[in-house]
Amino acid sequence: MKLKRPTSRFVTALVAVASITLIAGCRGSMEDRAEKVTARLSKKLDLNDEQKKEFQTLVEQAIADMKENRETHLALGAELEKQVLSETADTTELKNLLAAQATKRQALTDKWLGLAAQFHAKLNPEQKKKAAEAISKFRSKFQSKHHGRHDRKKKSDHSEKP
């Protein structure tokens, strides 16, 4: 009996769930990481007491949203496991789960863009400048950490050619 090749969405979903599982298990609890980030950004941006309180509220909402979203990921993971063990993959069920996840992700994106804009409006120009510098530094670290390996590999592949 010849096995059918899984669809690219099936494989993508499988990799996504595995990645999320690994990330979620790293470096302590979500609350611990959030506390550290909140303290560091509050200090770096020199937030006043009102801004700190609002920022803390945003962080608590983010944690609640992430925990709620975890249920969707768990359901998707369970369904993927079921599909892998089945004789044939039910792509309709997987598509429905992925569509529901995409809808939820879009709703969270819309929510958080609005909340971020509200918080941004309460920052003074100096705080906005410091925030932009922090984002730039984060992007630079992220790119060198995640894209640097890929870029180095490409360069080494090219150097081997005559």
Side-chain angles (χ1 to χ4, degrees):
M1 174 186 198
K2 187 175 181 181
L3 293 175
K4 292 182 180 179
R5 286 180 38 192
T7 64
S8 63
R9 280 190 174 192
F10 180 74
V11 173
T12 301
L14 183 62
V15 170
V17 170
S19 299
I20 290 166
T21 302
L22 289 173
I23 291 168
C26 293
R27 300 184 206 154
S29 73
M30 222 183 301
E31 290 83 358
D32 291 342
R33 286 179 285 166
E35 187 177 317
K36 288 176 186 176
V37 168
T38 301
R40 186 173 36 226
L41 283 176
S42 293
K43 184 177 180 180
K44 187 172 272 191
L45 299 180
D46 194 25
L47 299 179
N48 63 37
D49 290 339
E50 182 183 333
Q51 290 171 324
K52 285 179 188 176
K53 185 177 178 182
E54 185 168 342
F55 188 57
Q56 182 62 39
T57 301
L58 289 175
V59 169
E60 290 168 3
Q61 287 178 353
I63 290 170
D65 285 347
M66 285 186 241
K67 284 182 177 180
E68 183 182 324
N69 203 29
R70 185 179 292 162
E71 296 304 316
T72 305
H73 291 298
L74 292 174
L76 181 59
E79 182 61 29
L80 282 170
E81 198 173 313
K82 178 181 155 189
Q83 294 298 325
V84 168
L85 293 171
S86 70
E87 191 66 31
T88 59
D90 181 358
T91 57
T92 303
E93 181 62 26
L94 290 171
K95 285 179 186 178
N96 291 340
L97 282 169
L98 290 170
Q101 187 180 36
T103 299
K104 192 168 194 172
R105 188 173 40 248
Q106 185 59 53
L108 284 174
T109 298
D110 294 344
K111 173 185 176 179
W112 283 98
L113 285 175
L115 291 172
Q118 289 173 6
F119 186 72
H120 173 266
K122 294 179 181 179
L123 296 176
N124 65 42
E126 184 62 28
Q127 290 170 323
K128 289 176 183 178
K129 182 179 177 185
K130 288 178 182 178
E133 290 168 356
I135 290 169
S136 178
K137 186 176 179 180
F138 175 80
R139 286 181 57 226
S140 177
K141 282 183 181 180
F142 181 83
Q143 288 174 339
S144 66
K145 183 177 181 178
H146 296 284
H147 298 290
R149 282 184 262 149
H150 180 67
D151 292 342
R152 285 190 297 271
K153 185 176 185 225
K154 275 185 169 180
K155 288 177 185 176
S156 66
D157 289 346
H158 292 297
S159 64
E160 293 174 9
K161 295 180 183 177

